[in-house]
Amino acid sequence: MSLLLETTLGDIVIDLDIENSPHLCKNILKLAKARYYTGNLIYNVQPGRFFQTGDPRGDGLGGACIDGLIDTIMTKSSDVRKSKKRFIRSTGKVLTKAELQEKGRVVATEMGNVKNTAGSQFLITTESGVGKALDGITASTSTDASTATANDRGLENVTDEKEYLSIGIVSEDENDVISKINALYCDKTGRPYADVRILKANILHDPFDDPDEMDYIMKQRQVILLNESDLPEQYVDCARWISSSSPMHDKPNEEIVEQRISIKETLEEENEEVERKREVEMLKKEDKGNAVILEMLGDIASAEMKPPENVLFVCKLNSLTEDEDLQLIFSRFDQQCKAEIIRDPDTGDSLQYAFIEFETKEAASEAYFKMNNALIDDRRIKVDFSQSVAKEWNRYTQKKRGIVPRTDRSKDNFRQSRKMNLTFVGQKQKKYYGGYRQHHEVSGEKDDSNRSHNHERQRQRRPPSPVNDE
């Protein structure tokens, strides 16, 4: 015989202990049929031990058995606590020492550990093991919200020997709801900072007959059962407890505690954050995969190549600003810093942005915070950390070609080095075409006689021109 609890954190299925605790199981089934648990708070969470629910008031001092609910509605009373039939006798199976240490045990809750005060409240253990669940909890150490109140009032029949009566055990918890509730952040009274509620308690099977006034109670609570004609023949008996419609409440009308943020809202925020992290992680994996492919193709030196942390990017420079000026300004943060203004490859004119390399990333960070939006040569510059790996790539390609990287990039040296490089490339091109021309043109010598001799030989090899007989 089972009961399905729909909560804001997921669903759990409870196998009721019909054989050993029929009186308690009948009570909880009829309350569920009357939708008494709809919207009830999980108001007391003791980590590693249990959580409590089943009180429409939300403070652990309310609730009633099915007879008390019927009596309250029939007498048109506004408070079930005034009903003389509020509680039922505490009869049923007493949990053994081993069962007290099990996770998922569903136990009837008595008001202040007073005998025969079982109502609508129950608790579910959240962990298993020695010193966990209900192991070692006595009446004097109980964290039940109603225990202190009962003791303060001096109620009789309060004993230090604590017996726990079984209602059932959790048989299905696919969404790990119990562990999620156990991990909730709670205040000093055990109430979670985010409200977790029972959305609905659905009966999967009910072998007990209804009380005489049950139809009237269902009508008063606006619960409508299915018609037998709406179900297949083999499931006609289920029409006694399956409802076609019932009211849904954000919270019970009897609730008196302050309403807090719903766990749904926090879960939505967490889900959005998880989704953002997942997208970022996917982008990182995609970038890494692309980097590995580029490394295999030889387009980058390493897939792990990252922008240097000690290099700053500076833009919006004045075109007249020189490397030496920039290096002098930034040397206040690092005497060994190097400034490189990027120039047009043809004219050598400044492109008005530069890179500043420091010895340490701490110096780069200090320069970033103090020099961003600084005024240099009547220009408000922008400073940021470099995202370029061009320098590392150039070093890698130059190393492969056996070229020594150029370190001095001032404007004059830039033009001079460019002229030397063009001359060197021109000489290599002349040398490539080989032959007699190679030796003399590369060395800068000219031999007109040999050049005329070669021209004469080429002319003699041409076929004769056709003769015009006319």
Side-chain angles (χ1 to χ4, degrees):
M1 312 308 170
S2 300
L3 186 70
L4 171 64
L5 292 183
E6 298 179 19
T7 74
T8 47
L9 289 175
D11 302 340
I12 57 177
V13 177
I14 300 172
D15 280 345
L16 298 177
D17 194 357
I18 300 290
E19 296 181 0
N20 298 315
S21 302
H23 198 44
L24 295 174
C25 292
K26 177 181 178 180
N27 176 59
I28 198 172
L29 283 172
K30 299 311 174 183
L31 289 172
K33 184 175 181 179
R35 293 290 183 258
Y36 192 67
Y37 293 114
T38 299
N40 282 10
L41 275 174
I42 293 175
Y43 64 86
N44 183 21
V45 178
Q46 299 300 320
R49 294 289 189 171
F50 59 83
F51 66 86
Q52 283 182 268
T53 186
D55 177 15
R57 284 170 55 95
D59 62 353
L61 301 177
C65 67
I66 185 62
D67 294 331
L69 178 62
I70 292 174
D71 181 62
T72 302
I73 294 177
M74 297 297 293
T75 59
K76 297 182 177 3
S77 175
S78 59
D79 191 353
V80 295
R81 295 180 300 171
K82 297 179 181 179
S83 173
K84 296 181 179 180
K85 299 181 180 180
R86 180 183 179 188
F87 303 117
I88 59 175
R89 293 182 61 84
S90 302
T91 58
K93 176 187 175 182
V94 178
L95 294 180
T96 64
K97 177 70 173 178
E99 291 172 338
L100 290 174
Q101 301 175 3
E102 293 180 359
K103 177 182 178 179
R105 284 287 173 180
V106 185
V107 180
T109 302
E110 296 176 314
M111 293 294 294
N113 298 321
V114 180
K115 280 287 187 180
N116 302 322
T117 57
S120 60
Q121 298 187 42
F122 60 91
L123 62 83
I124 300 177
T125 56
T126 56
E127 285 191 15
S128 59
V130 178
K132 301 293 184 179
L134 299 173
D135 184 37
I137 297 181
T138 62
S140 59
T141 61
S142 176
T143 52
D144 189 331
S146 62
T147 301
T149 303
N151 291 334
D152 292 341
R153 292 176 180 176
L155 294 179
E156 298 179 356
N157 300 327
V158 179
T159 62
D160 195 54
E161 295 181 1
K162 180 70 174 175
E163 292 183 347
Y164 295 96
L165 300 178
S166 172
I167 294 179
I169 188 170
V170 175
S171 59
E172 296 182 25
D173 185 11
E174 295 181 357
N175 297 321
D176 202 18
V177 176
I178 293 178
S179 297
K180 290 178 181 178
I181 295 175
N182 185 57
L184 292 173
Y185 291 102
C186 304
D187 59 20
K188 60 182 180 180
T189 65
R191 183 185 170 187
Y193 285 108
D195 285 344
V196 181
R197 298 181 182 272
I198 296 176
L199 301 178
K200 190 184 295 184
N202 298 306
I203 301 173
L204 302 183
H205 184 68
D206 182 5
F208 301 104
D209 294 332
D210 291 337
D212 295 337
E213 300 85 356
M214 195 67 187
D215 291 339
Y216 179 74
I217 300 303
M218 300 284 284
K219 183 178 180 180
Q220 291 296 313
R221 296 185 65 84
Q222 301 177 1
V223 180
I224 302 174
L225 298 178
L226 282 174
N227 295 323
E228 293 183 0
S229 58
D230 296 333
L231 295 172
E233 184 177 353
Q234 62 270 31
Y235 300 116
V236 169
D237 192 49
C238 297
R240 293 193 304 109
W241 60 79
I242 298 179
S243 61
S244 61
S245 65
S246 60
M248 295 294 294
H249 310 291
D250 292 336
K251 65 175 185 176
N253 295 329
E254 302 91 334
E255 187 171 298
I256 63 170
V257 296
E258 181 184 2
Q259 191 171 2
R260 295 178 176 176
I261 184 174
S262 173
I263 193 68
K264 287 183 177 180
E265 299 180 23
T266 59
L267 288 177
E268 289 175 358
E269 294 177 359
E270 290 179 2
N271 291 337
E272 291 177 359
E273 183 65 23
V274 169
E275 185 64 22
R276 284 195 294 268
K277 290 182 179 179
R278 189 183 66 84
E279 291 178 358
V280 171
E281 191 66 25
M282 289 182 63
L283 290 174
K284 287 182 179 179
K285 290 182 179 180
E286 183 179 355
D287 291 342
K288 186 174 182 180
N290 293 336
V292 171
I293 294 175
L294 293 175
E295 181 183 5
M296 294 171 63
L297 296 175
D299 288 345
I300 60 175
S302 171
E304 304 298 329
M305 181 183 291
K306 296 180 180 179
E309 297 180 346
N310 62 328
V311 177
L312 293 181
F313 170 75
V314 182
C315 64
K316 295 189 176 181
L317 292 170
N318 192 315
S319 59
L320 300 178
T321 302
E322 294 292 339
D323 302 67
E324 294 80 3
D325 303 333
L326 208 57
Q327 182 169 328
L328 179 62
I329 293 172
F330 280 88
S331 63
R332 57 178 290 203
F333 307 104
D334 184 0
Q335 293 292 332
Q336 305 299 322
C337 70
K338 299 177 182 178
E340 177 185 349
I341 296 177
I342 307 304
R343 302 182 180 278
D344 185 277
D346 295 324
T347 64
D349 295 334
S350 171
L351 297 179
Q352 299 179 348
Y353 69 92
F355 293 93
I356 315 294
E357 183 176 357
F358 298 87
E359 292 291 327
T360 63
K361 64 179 181 180
E362 289 77 12
S365 299
E366 185 182 2
Y368 164 73
F369 287 112
K370 294 186 177 181
M371 293 301 295
N372 190 30
N373 290 321
L375 196 65
I376 298 179
D377 293 337
D378 296 329
R379 291 294 181 90
R380 190 73 67 179
I381 66 170
K382 293 293 182 181
V383 180
D384 201 351
F385 285 92
S386 173
Q387 299 299 312
S388 173
V389 294
K391 182 170 290 189
E392 284 72 13
W393 171 244
N394 290 336
R395 290 172 181 170
Y396 169 70
T397 54
Q398 290 171 356
K399 184 177 179 181
K400 289 180 64 176
R401 297 197 302 264
I403 300 175
V404 178
R406 191 170 64 248
T407 58
D408 190 354
R409 288 182 174 267
S410 62
K411 187 171 182 179
D412 295 337
N413 288 325
F414 179 88
R415 291 175 175 173
Q416 182 178 357
S417 60
R418 173 171 172 76
K419 182 178 180 181
M420 293 174 61
N421 284 342
L422 290 176
T423 304
F424 175 73
V425 171
Q427 291 177 353
K428 288 189 67 176
Q429 288 177 346
K430 294 176 183 178
K431 189 174 183 179
Y432 174 78
Y433 290 104
Y436 177 82
R437 187 177 180 183
Q438 166 190 327
H439 173 72
H440 294 280
E441 291 197 5
V442 170
S443 61
E445 299 177 1
K446 297 183 180 180
D447 191 333
D448 295 336
S449 60
N450 286 335
R451 187 172 298 176
S452 301
H453 176 71
N454 288 337
H455 180 71
E456 181 64 25
R457 290 181 62 185
Q458 292 176 5
R459 188 183 64 78
Q460 291 176 358
R461 289 176 183 174
R462 295 177 183 171
S465 302
V467 179
N468 192 346
D469 295 338
E470 296 181 357

